[in-house]
Each structure stands twice: as C-alpha cells, then as structure tokens.
Amino acid sequence: SAVISQKPSRDICQRGTSLTIQCQVDSQVTMMFWYRQQPGQSLTLIATANQGSEATYESGFVIDKFPISRPNLTFSTLTVSNMSPEDSSIYLCSVGGRQGVHEQYFGPGTRLTVT
Amino acid sequence: AQSVTQLGSHVSVSEGALVLLRCNYSSSVPPYLFWYVQYPNQGLQLLLKYTSAATLVKGINGFEAEFKKSETSFHLTKPSAHMSDAAEYFCAVRNAGGTSYGKLTFGQGTILTVHP
C-alpha cells in the first residue's frame, strides 16, 4: 500500500476565492486521481492526473474550475477556483497504477466548506 | 460503461449478528471489484478486492465477499458484527481499459449501524 497525505485537512473559504489542495505520496506512482464527495453522497471522479501530461477530466468537470498539476511522480495539486457554496465537499486524492496492483489507495481527504 | 448498485442505503444490525451488504455491478468486461470502508471524518480504506483469482475473497476485520458472475454480484458479509464495524461501505468497480483505464466507479454507499 501507499501512504498518502493531504493538505489542508479542512478549510473554510469565502465565496469567490480559490483553494489549492496538495497530495503527497510516499513512493512513486503512475496514476493519481482526484475525487469529490459531496455531503451524504458517494465519490465522483474529477480527473486523472498523470505525470508529464495534461490531466484527463470527467464529464461535468473542467480545467478552468479544477486546475490540476502533477509535477512529479509523488505529488499533485487540485485547485478549486472561484468557489461557491456548492463546492463544499470532501476532496480526496488516490493513487494506483502500479504494476500488478489493481486497487487504489486514498488520502484522508480535505473537507472544504464555502461560505 | 460500468456501474455499481448498492441495495440499501442504510443497514442496521445487532452486535453479533450477520452483516450482509449487497452490491451488484454492470460491466462489459471481466471486472475488478472492491469494497472500501469509510469511518466518520476519514478517508477510504480498502477492505478487500476481487481481481479474477479466487471468487471468495477474504479481507480485513473479518469481512469477506463472493464474486458471482451469474448474478453480477459482489456482496460483502461478516459473520458477527462488532460495534466498531459501524461505518459507511462503498462497493467499486474498476475500468479495465480504454481511456478511463484505472478509473473507479463507486456505488452510492451503505451506512452500517450496529446496535448493542
């Protein structure tokens, strides 16, 4: 398994501002994923972040709203831009894609509240 | 497209009773299937996985799940519930190829309550 940390663990932000969430892994991984979990809901994939290429966004998510960086094989950031109360969610990063490893391992999540 | 349906958003059992959480999947290719658990204010923890080896899969904390292709099911069970099992449980299926390679699709989750 991989040890994954996220910063910040939680934040309260004002409408219209932006927040950047960091995800750090203790080993090199090929694929990193960003999920959103809205209150009382399941997880929805925002995008897949691969090192050295543009992130791949799922339907309903756009780069202008959720820009992602993946500068190396152990780190990624997700920015939630121009926030509104509807962006209040838990944001989780996960890693996967190691040879022969089919599961994903998740970070502890970032709990975001937008007021 | 792949999908997962978890039957029952809430399941309540008594301590010591059997736990059964239901999961049915839809997949056009042989799937990889997973159960994750989420305790309050925490991330997701992998309970167990099916990756086309044995159809009966044993996981952590005494949980197990059986892959039944004919029923497209992957139900999670535990013979005797413990208070510490109270959490939300998610079933997930993984895309085996294509542009969404590696992507997990999650079910809606089942909240397990354990009564003393």
Side-chain angles (χ1 to χ4, degrees):
Chain A
S1 65
V3 177
I4 306 163
S5 60
Q6 287 186 233
K7 291 181 181 180
S9 59
R10 60 178 63 230
D11 207 340
I12 301 173
C13 300
Q14 297 284 338
R15 176 196 303 260
T17 63
S18 298
L19 176 71
T20 295
I21 303 168
Q22 300 179 6
C23 180
Q24 179 76 53
V25 189
D26 68 340
S27 57
Q28 295 184 340
V29 293
T30 304
M31 304 177 77
M32 296 181 77
F33 305 87
W34 286 98
Y35 290 84
R36 181 176 73 181
Q37 187 178 23
Q38 294 177 299
Q41 302 292 318
S42 185
L43 282 79
T44 302
L45 181 65
I46 297 172
T48 303
N50 295 321
Q51 196 267 337
S53 64
E54 294 285 330
T56 302
Y57 289 82
E58 298 298 307
S59 176
F61 297 96
V62 295
I63 188 171
D64 290 346
K65 175 68 175 178
F66 298 101
I68 288 171
S69 77
R70 182 80 197 274
N72 57 53
L73 291 174
T74 63
F75 187 78
S76 178
T77 67
L78 169 75
T79 299
V80 186
S81 302
N82 188 24
M83 288 183 285
S84 67
E86 291 71 35
D87 294 319
S88 297
S89 296
I90 301 172
Y91 292 87
L92 300 105
C93 70
S94 72
V95 303
R98 293 184 188 179
Q99 186 68 28
V101 175
H102 304 292
E103 64 270 28
Q104 290 181 19
Y105 294 96
F106 285 80
T110 296
R111 186 178 296 271
L112 171 62
T113 302
V114 184
T115 60
Chain B
Q2 310 207 29
S3 66
V4 175
T5 301
Q6 290 183 240
L7 300 176
S9 58
H10 290 79
V11 170
S12 180
V13 301
S14 298
E15 190 173 21
L18 170 72
V19 175
L20 171 61
L21 305 183
R22 300 178 186 273
C23 172
N24 288 88
Y25 69 91
S26 171
S27 176
S28 58
V29 297
Y32 297 142
L33 294 159
F34 310 90
W35 276 99
Y36 286 87
V37 60
Q38 186 176 35
Y39 298 101
N41 300 313
Q42 295 187 27
L44 270 68
Q45 180 181 5
L46 180 67
L47 270 179
L48 48 78
K49 61 182 178 181
Y50 167 76
T51 56
S52 75
T55 56
L56 182 61
V57 180
K58 295 187 183 298
I60 63 172
N61 302 338
F63 285 92
E64 62 183 36
E66 185 172 8
F67 172 71
K68 292 187 176 181
K69 183 178 179 180
S70 61
E71 299 177 7
T72 62
S73 69
F74 191 57
H75 302 330
L76 182 71
T77 61
K78 182 174 180 178
S80 177
H82 192 273
M83 296 294 290
S84 61
D85 294 327
E88 188 161 16
Y89 293 79
F90 293 94
C91 183
V93 61
R94 176 187 148 163
N95 289 5
T99 57
S100 296
Y101 176 74
K103 167 187 171 182
L104 287 180
T105 300
F106 284 86
Q108 286 303 107
T110 298
I111 295 173
L112 176 65
T113 302
V114 182
H115 296 288

